[in-house]
Amino acid sequence: MSKIKAVTGTGAGAEAMRQINPDVVPAFPITPQTAIMQTFATFVANGVVDTEMIRVESEHSAMSCAVGASAAGARVMTATASAGLALMWEIVGVASGLRLPIVMEIVNRALSAPINIHCDHSDSMGARDLGWIQIYSESAQEVYENSLLAMRLAEKVLLPAMVCQDGFITSHGVENVEVFDDKDVKKFIGEHKYPHSLLNVKKPVTHGPLQLQDYYFETRSQQIPAMDEAKKEYIKIGEELSKITGRKYGYFDEYNMKDADCVIVALNSTAGTTKTAIDKMRKEGKKVGLLKLRLFRPFPYKEVANALKGIKKIAVLDRAVSFGANPPLYGEIKNALYDVNYDGKLHSLVFGLGGRNIFVEDIEQVFDKMINDKLEEHGTVGLRE
Amino acid sequence: MTLKSNKDIPIGGLIDEAGSSKKFKTGDWRSFRPIWDKEKCIQCMMCLPLCPEDCIPSEGSGKDIKRKETDLEYCKGCGICMNVCPVKCIKMEEESKFTK
C-alpha cells in the first residue's frame, strides 16, 4: 500500500532517506539543500531511523566523513548544492576513486560569482567527470524514486551516485508524492554488504594508498567498465523498482516523440514545462515532442542516438555553460548523433542560469522558431542581449 | 617484479594484504648511511622507537634489550637516529662512498 504525501522535492529526498535508513549521514547545510537534512534530522531526533548523523564543519569534511564511513562498510548518504559541492570537490573524486557507494542528493544551484542561490546545473555539470553516476529528476516523485534506485545501483557496482533536482523549483515546491510501503522499499533496498570493510579485522585492508606511474593508470581504468556495468544494472534495478512503483526507469523518457518533427531535449523540471507546452501545441496540430534524459552519467549514447536519429529538428536545452566549449548536454547529444550520421538540424540553447525562469511560452517560442526554421544553431532563451 | 594488469588488481587501489609494506624496499632512497659505533653505544634505546621506518632491529627484552645493525634494505637515511643519540655513536656518511 502506498500513501500520498504532500511534500517538497527536498521532503521527497528525505522520505527516500528515511526508508533507506542509512547507517551514517554526515551533513553540512547549504541552501537550497538544507531542507533535506533538516527534515532528515527530525527523523533522526524522533528515532524514526537508526542513522548516526554527523554534523561537520564544512562540505569538505562532510564528504571526507562519508568516505571514511563508507570504507568502514556503512551505508552512507549526504546532500549538497552549489558552493557546497564545489568545496567537496577533492573528496568527491576520492569517493569514486576508492569505489565507495555513497549516494548524494544534489539540489541544483548556480555557482558563484555573482552569488546566487537559485537553480541552474553548473554545480552537478561541473562534477560530471568526477566518476559519479548522475540521475536527474523532473519532479519530487522522481527525486524519491531515483534516490531508491541510486542506492541499489551504487552498492551493486561500487560507484557513488548523485540524484539531482532543480533548486527551489522542485526542492521547495509542494507536490503530491506517492510514497511506497516501508516494508516493500526496505526489501528492495536490502542489506549493504560491503566486501572491503575497514572494520573487518579478519581481513585487513588498506584504502587509498599511494599509486604512482606503476599502478595509478590501471586502478583508474577500472572505473570505465564499472560505468558500463552501471548502465546495464540501472535498467535491471529499475525493472525491479517498477514492480513496486508501476513506473518505468529508462535512460530517458520519450514524450510525444513518435511522429514528432521537432524535439526538445531537457533535464529536470524543464521537462515538465516542456510537456505542458507540447500538450498545448499538439492541440494546435504541431508535431512537437520531448526527450527527457534521466541518466546523464553513464551517458546512454547509443540509445539516445537511436531515439533521435529520425527527428528532423532537435533543440538541446542546457541550464549550464561550458565556457569556451559546447554546453554539457548539447555536447553529449551531438557526440551521440555523430555515430548515426545525423543529417537533421541540431540547436543548442542555454537558458535559466541563476534561476532565470523558463515559462511554457518560452518553450512554445522555441518550438515555433524551430518549426519555421528561425532558430539559431547556438542561442539562448530568456537572456537580454 | 612483474606488474599486474587492471583486471588482476583489487578495485579502487585497495591493498587486501596485511603487512605488504615489507615488500616495499625503501633503502635505495638513501643518500646518507648511518654508521653505528657499537663500542660507544650505551644501548639507551632512544633511536629504536624514533626511527620512522622501524628499521633498527633489537634482541632481548627489558633491561637486557640490545639494538642491532640498522636494516639497510629499508633505512632511508633520514638521520633521526644520529640526532637523538645522547652519546653521538651514530654518524651519517655519504651513501656514494659505499656504492662505488
Side-chain angles (χ1 to χ4, degrees):
Chain A
M1 269 288 286
S2 65
K3 277 184 206 159
I4 302 290
K5 292 188 181 180
V7 289
T8 58
T10 51
E15 199 60 30
M17 289 177 72
R18 177 184 68 76
Q19 292 187 319
I20 290 168
N21 194 10
D23 300 311
V24 176
V25 170
F28 192 81
I30 182 165
T31 301
Q33 171 280 112
T34 309
I36 294 182
M37 283 307 165
Q38 188 179 318
T39 311
F40 188 73
T42 313
F43 296 146
V44 175
N46 292 344
V48 175
V49 289
D50 312 307
T51 306
E52 180 84 31
M53 191 161 180
I54 306 170
R55 286 164 297 171
V56 291
E57 71 276 30
S58 77
E59 283 88 356
H60 190 277
S61 306
M63 188 45 64
S64 301
C65 189
V67 162
S70 188
R75 175 174 279 157
V76 185
M77 292 183 84
T78 185
T80 196
S82 179
L85 180 57
L87 183 56
M88 275 182 186
W89 214 257
E90 179 191 6
I91 316 300
V92 173
V94 172
S96 54
L98 296 182
R99 305 290 300 276
L100 300 172
I102 298 158
V103 172
M104 175 154 65
E105 302 282 343
I106 300 288
V107 185
N108 286 115
R109 167 186 152 180
L111 284 176
S112 295
I115 279 194
N116 181 299
I117 58 166
H118 292 284
C119 175
D120 74 34
H121 301 162
S122 344
D123 49 4
S124 60
M125 281 302 164
R128 67 192 186 274
D129 288 338
L130 287 179
W132 285 54
I133 294 162
Q134 286 193 344
I135 311 176
Y136 286 79
S137 321
E138 179 188 333
S139 60
Q141 185 71 46
E142 286 191 7
V143 170
Y144 165 68
E145 290 167 27
N146 287 344
S147 303
L148 304 179
L149 204 166
M151 194 78 244
R152 272 285 304 276
L153 180 58
E155 288 176 359
K156 175 74 189 177
V157 299
L158 295 176
L159 282 175
M162 295 180 191
V163 179
C164 306
Q165 60 174 297
D166 279 349
F168 290 108
I169 303 161
T170 307
S171 72
H172 286 59
V174 176
E175 289 175 44
N176 281 334
V177 172
E178 188 179 9
V179 176
F180 297 93
D181 192 72
D182 284 2
K183 273 187 200 160
D184 293 342
V185 174
K186 278 180 200 304
K187 199 179 157 201
F188 167 78
I189 293 294
E191 199 188 329
H192 177 39
K193 287 172 189 156
Y194 183 61
H196 314 294
S197 168
L198 271 179
L199 296 181
N200 184 2
V201 289
K202 285 179 186 158
K203 200 183 146 208
V205 289
T206 301
H207 281 269
L210 178 81
Q211 288 189 337
L212 300 175
Q213 294 95 327
D214 54 354
Y215 272 108
Y216 179 92
F217 196 177
E218 277 68 30
T219 296
R220 269 303 200 188
S221 72
Q222 293 172 335
Q223 286 172 248
I224 302 165
M227 274 288 181
D228 295 340
E229 201 196 335
K231 197 180 150 212
K232 286 179 202 149
E233 290 297 332
Y234 171 87
I235 295 294
K236 281 189 202 163
I237 294 167
E239 278 165 4
E240 243 184 90
L241 184 59
S242 290
K243 286 177 193 156
I244 303 173
T245 65
R247 275 180 276 271
K248 286 196 160 59
Y249 306 93
Y251 297 131
F252 46 81
D253 289 354
E254 294 175 76
Y255 192 75
N256 280 290
M257 275 205 20
K258 269 185 188 159
D259 62 339
D261 293 328
C262 298
V263 162
I264 279 181
V265 182
L267 294 169
N268 278 8
S269 70
T270 309
T273 316
T274 307
K275 283 178 186 171
T276 308
I278 290 170
D279 290 347
K280 208 177 151 196
M281 295 179 86
R282 280 276 168 179
K283 281 179 193 154
E284 298 160 6
K286 292 169 181 168
K287 289 181 175 178
V288 290
L290 163 77
L291 186 142
K292 177 187 86 182
L293 193 73
R294 287 166 166 271
L295 190 69
F296 188 78
R297 284 291 181 270
F299 196 91
Y301 290 103
K302 211 174 138 190
E303 293 78 4
V304 165
N306 280 335
L308 290 176
K309 65 183 176 192
I311 308 291
K312 287 178 191 144
K313 301 165 192 175
I314 303 164
V316 184
L317 265 55
D318 269 279
R319 206 164 194 150
V321 193
S322 180
F323 299 107
N326 282 326
L329 182 55
Y330 170 74
E332 299 298 11
I333 300 292
K334 199 170 181 175
N335 262 345
L337 292 174
Y338 179 85
D339 292 332
V340 288
N341 298 315
Y342 180 69
D343 57 359
K345 280 191 173 170
L346 183 62
H347 306 270
S348 166
L349 295 170
V350 172
F351 75 101
L353 298 192
R356 174 69 47 84
N357 277 324
I358 185 155
F359 296 106
V360 175
E361 297 74 44
D362 296 320
I363 302 285
E364 280 181 74
Q365 259 188 30
V366 170
F367 274 132
D368 277 330
K369 278 188 186 172
M370 231 194 310
I371 292 166
N372 299 317
D373 287 327
K374 283 188 176 147
L375 192 65
E376 57 271 61
E377 197 184 334
H378 291 269
T380 54
V381 182
L383 173 72
R384 298 183 301 276
E385 55 183 340
Chain B
M1 200 184 349
T2 324
L3 293 170
K4 291 174 181 171
S5 86
N6 57 3
K7 289 180 189 70
D8 301 322
I9 54 172
I11 60 161
L14 193 94
I15 296 175
D16 56 1
E17 182 190 344
S20 63
S21 61
K22 263 193 176 176
K23 293 181 185 168
F24 191 37
K25 307 268 167 86
T26 50
D28 60 359
W29 296 18
R30 189 174 57 241
S31 56
F32 287 93
R33 181 181 287 202
I35 305 298
W36 171 50
D37 185 342
K38 200 176 173 179
E39 302 307 314
K40 211 172 163 186
C41 176
I42 58 170
Q43 298 290 355
C44 71
M45 296 300 126
M46 281 291 277
C47 55
L48 249 80
L50 289 162
C51 171
E53 275 300 312
D54 199 15
C55 70
I56 305 172
S58 63
E59 56 187 359
S61 62
K63 281 180 185 173
D64 300 325
I65 193 166
K66 289 213 179 345
R67 68 156 282 178
K68 300 198 290 185
E69 282 290 351
T70 304
D71 187 340
L72 293 176
E73 280 197 321
Y74 298 99
C75 173
K76 292 173 184 165
C78 71
I80 287 177
C81 52
M82 173 197 76
N83 263 293
V84 298
C85 179
V87 294
K88 309 273 178 233
C89 77
I90 300 166
K91 273 183 196 140
M92 299 303 289
E93 290 191 18
E94 289 234 17
E95 185 67 20
S96 56
K97 275 196 200 170
F98 307 95
T99 49
K100 263 171 198 171

